[in-house]
Amino acid sequence: MPQIHWLALLSFIGIALATVAVGLYATRVVRTTPDFLIASRAVSPFLNASAISGEYLSAASFLGVAGMVMYFGYDVLWYPAGYAAGYLFLLLFVAAPLRRFGAYTLPDFAEGRFDSPGFRRIAVVFVLVIGVFYMLPQMKGAGLTFRAITGAPYWLGVVLVGTVITLNVALGGMKGITFVQAFQYWVKMFAISVPILILAALFGSYGEHFQRAASDAPLVFPRDTTFTIQAGAVLELGAPARFQILSGGPLLGDDGAVYWAGQEVEATPGRLTAAEGATLVFQAGQPAPNAPAGTAWGAPFGRLATSQGFPLLFTYSLMIATIFGTAGLPHILVRFYTNPDGHAARRTTLAVLALTGAFYLFPPMLGTVGRVQLPELYATGHTDTLVLELPGLAPGLVGEVLRAVAVAGAFAAFMSTTSGLMVAVAGALAHDLYARTLRPSATARQRQLAFQFAALGTGAVAILAGLQVERFYINMLVGWAFAISASSFFPLLVLGIWWKRLTVIGAALGTCIGGMSASVAILVTMWRGESLGLLPYSPLDTLLAQPAIWSIPVAFLAMVLGSLATAGTIPADVNIKMLRMHVPESLGLRTDYISE
Amino acid sequence: MVQESGERAEPRAAGALLAEDADLEALLIEDDVPLQEVAEQTTYGEIVLEDLIRRQRALSLSVAGAFLLLLFGLPIFNLFFPQLGAIRIQGLPVTWLALAIVIYPVLWLLAYYYVATARKYEDEFTDLLR
């Protein structure tokens, strides 16, 4: 019987209400469309950096990394390292010039850089694709978390959280969201650090847990543990185990043995399948079923990299996707507009690096401690909820409070990222598609309505798609969004900002070829049903599952060759554009795209 | 720190800074070097701007390169020197410490260096044109 964690549920309701309340408050101060979409540029750098960090740290960072570290160990560390490194690349190549260019969105940049409304439309398509792809893991996180605290089915969490976010975005726009996201960064930071620090004080240090986690000896339950498995679940025992079946079952051994409820089981190493769902009790010291081996867990080129076929290839392609994908994320780039000038954009990014770096120190620690303290999650298959379950280990009320804190962090994570994405996508639909392309004569009020309708539509799509992705790891889904972004917008930004001779044909070719090939590779992978380790891998499979390592070079190549081939179309005023991007504002050359 | 916008640049003789770059040394230093020249894409203006862009690009590429060398080098290190990577400090292997902890302050320090240096280049450019 799933247990409802009331304090955690209250925590979710609290965060949802606080978010909506701030959003509604913001609508009282929101007047014009620029207000609505931009948020005041007088936002302080600290607030801005907190908001960017809040928006950036999604379900993948908050829930996904720790859960994956618990299961796969060392190789997962590339994900948070890549996410943080992405910000460095954003700083180095994009931050100041993009701000100085004055473009609010990526489609703005696409049109403005080449004076091409046609290219704007292409850019909008990719904003939609990347935005929706990136919303999927957030929806999954929402479904998981809601189920973890109430036992309610996955779809209910997706629908509930999706609806709250959609309404909040449609009503409040971006202004309310800045405050909300800054607040949510600090909730997440608190939630990822305080519970684990308390648990470390109670149960042992990071290093001590690592020794235990990475050792050769079979992983055992640290205390008497009761847990429930679903019908059809498989338990793999690496060592002889003794346990009780409290209820449900029977369990069928691969040697033909049948174990009924009420029985004390003495099982030899092998597999047991649950004919029906069952509740099991293992005493302290008994080996944990389904636990991955310690030495491979703690070392590089473990199960994650090898199950994808070619460890080194997989590792590099993953690194490349996460690092370069950040620079092309539409909801992040929009944030640079809220800085007063280019240098402020750099300094804000520096602060973001500090805030996100500090955050990422904790998930691997959670994964390590979780492996040792909550091995039943291997048996139930719910390692993704580690961050929510681990705080419950603290005794009594402290445990429930910490669990509520963790839940607050989780919801803060997907609410902030999903809101940001939704604003970027709805903004692209309203501002780029509707206002500039379909109906240039639209009034400000009509544009605001368009935004609200677009937000509702996007929310519906996100919820429906989110219901389909339960079987994929959160970080895999994020990795895919990043791969598409890295293969489309990243090359566009880098070459558009730093290479005078990029032409619109070259840029369009590169964006489309890179983005589409990455998307196709990923869709094929998803359709084949890849969840890790299900199928044997050939190099082709690895390259399809992690396309960045080839799709990014393809995009760059297409852009360069396309531009060289159409060199005659380089605009005469390209120097002015370069000037705008690279010259400090004190020399008086700023233009803005939102000027009504 | 908010930059003032809309200021008209004052003409001024460019300093010895120009002399450092062989490309620009040949250019005579005039008393009147208005920003207009840069905007109008005259030879001098184009060259000064391209020089700034070139310096910024080189800075970004070298910081990026340094970081990527470290990051991409780690899997190679893991592949060829696993025993070194496995050395434990406070219970955690060196390779785990590197990727789970040390990388974050390193990232930040590289970023800090970049921000300070990029600003310096821009200040030098601004001085050149005022």
Side-chain angles (χ1 to χ4, degrees), chain A residues 142-426:
Chain A
L144 272 187
T145 305
F146 202 71
R147 181 176 60 197
I149 59 174
T150 61
Y154 170 77
W155 66 265
L156 190 59
V158 172
V159 168
L160 270 179
V161 176
T163 308
V164 170
I165 294 172
T166 306
L167 290 177
N168 188 50
V169 168
L171 293 174
M174 183 119 132
K175 186 162 194 178
I177 282 175
T178 303
F179 294 119
V180 169
Q181 284 170 346
F183 165 68
Q184 286 179 340
Y185 167 77
W186 289 103
V187 170
K188 277 179 271 200
M189 188 60 205
F190 187 82
I192 202 80
S193 57
V194 169
I196 189 64
L197 291 174
I198 292 180
L199 287 175
L202 287 175
F203 295 117
S205 73
Y206 197 172
E208 284 165 14
H209 277 98
F210 188 90
Q211 306 271 40
R212 186 67 203 83
S215 90
D216 269 333
L219 195 67
V220 301
F221 287 98
R223 62 191 71 81
D224 296 348
T225 308
T226 309
F227 60 91
T228 306
I229 54 178
Q230 308 294 335
V234 174
L235 296 180
E236 299 217 11
L237 291 168
R242 193 171 351 128
F243 61 93
Q244 268 186 301
I245 307 180
L246 263 192
S247 65
L251 299 186
L252 311 169
D254 54 4
D255 55 357
V258 180
Y259 305 102
W260 296 95
Q263 241 183 314
E264 171 113 341
V265 178
E266 298 233 7
T268 51
R271 307 174 84 207
L272 293 168
T273 311
E276 296 296 329
T279 305
L280 311 174
V281 183
F282 279 71
Q283 306 292 322
Q286 289 299 318
N290 301 357
T295 27
W297 179 91
F301 309 118
R303 196 158 158 177
L304 180 68
T306 54
S307 75
Q308 299 265 308
F310 287 79
L312 211 54
L313 180 64
F314 175 86
T315 303
Y316 279 128
S317 199
L318 173 64
M319 281 162 67
I320 288 169
T322 50
I323 294 172
F324 300 135
T326 307
L329 292 177
H331 68 309
I332 295 299
L333 289 160
V334 150
R335 282 276 164 204
F336 285 107
Y337 200 68
T338 56
N339 289 292
D341 62 47
H343 193 67
R346 286 193 194 118
R347 288 167 69 234
T348 303
T349 312
L350 192 60
V352 169
L353 266 169
L355 292 175
T356 51
F359 179 90
Y360 284 129
L361 295 172
F362 293 97
M365 188 174 168
L366 272 140
T368 306
V369 172
R371 174 171 162 79
V372 173
Q373 298 294 338
L374 284 177
E376 64 265 33
L377 292 181
Y378 291 122
T380 61
H382 287 319
T383 50
D384 253 352
T385 58
L386 170 65
V387 175
L388 306 169
E389 301 289 349
L390 197 59
L393 283 182
L397 191 61
V398 176
E400 286 304 302
V401 168
L402 290 182
R403 188 195 293 270
V405 167
V407 165
F411 281 114
F414 27 87
M415 285 180 98
S416 54
T417 302
T418 312
S419 303
L421 286 168
M422 213 171 276
V423 169
V425 170

Side-chain angles (χ1 to χ4, degrees), chain A residues 18-61:
Chain A
T19 301
V20 172
V22 178
L24 282 178
Y25 165 75
T27 62
R28 295 192 334 194
V29 217
V30 161
R31 270 168 254 292
T32 63
T33 309
D35 247 3
F36 198 74
L37 283 175
I38 297 161
S40 163
R41 295 236 233 110
V43 168
S44 84
F46 176 70
L47 193 61
N48 213 11
S50 300
I52 297 175
S53 307
E55 194 165 23
Y56 189 56
L57 294 171
S58 72
S61 300

